[in-house]
Amino acid sequence: MSHFTFRTGDRVKAEQELMASIRKATSIEENAPKRKHVRNMIVFTWDYKTSVPIWEYMKSQPLRADEVQCYKALITLHKIVREGHQVCIPEALSQTTFLENLGRGMGGGSYAGWRNYSVLIRAY
């Protein structure tokens, strides 16, 4: 018996909506990622049993250019690993280099962001 749901029917549209949710959740505005955007990403992981498109799109974002955006991305990814499909954990483990580079890129050496999120990013 097939495990088909209405949500799995249009993967292309779902990935476009996912990209929009990631873009909105990791905006440069200094406020928490909206729950509805994070929820869209979590639902995507349950519907398609993967978080790979999330990681790919996060990597394409200029996260190291803005410390607020970087910190919001870390918060979002943490929520996805915690609440998403169980496949998110091993997929996240394969992205440790990416996460470590984010931490090194913020506040490493002489650069300390003027909003001081670099301390939070390194701690995360």
Side-chain angles (χ1 to χ4, degrees), residues 5-70:
T5 67
F6 288 111
R7 289 186 179 275
T8 58
D10 191 3
R11 172 111 184 214
V12 173
K13 184 178 179 199
E15 287 191 11
Q16 290 172 344
E17 291 172 0
L18 176 70
M19 287 185 227
S21 292
I22 293 170
R23 203 172 30 256
K24 291 175 182 178
T26 61
S27 66
I28 60 172
E29 285 86 36
E30 198 168 354
N31 53 20
K34 288 190 178 177
R35 182 70 190 154
K36 68 180 182 180
H37 303 308
V38 176
R39 175 101 178 111
N40 287 343
M41 291 180 249
I42 292 167
V43 168
F44 180 90
T45 68
W46 283 99
D47 286 345
Y48 296 101
K49 314 286 187 271
T50 186
S51 63
V52 171
I54 295 169
W55 288 102
E56 289 174 355
Y57 195 69
M58 284 285 191
K59 286 179 179 180
S60 72
Q61 295 294 305
L63 300 177
R64 293 176 76 180
D66 185 80
E67 58 188 354
V68 172
Q69 191 176 13
C70 181

Side-chain angles (χ1 to χ4, degrees), residues 66-80:
D66 185 80
E67 58 188 354
V68 172
Q69 191 176 13
C70 181
Y71 188 61
K72 287 171 74 170
L74 290 173
I75 291 169
T76 302
L77 290 169
H78 186 219
K79 289 181 181 183
I80 290 167

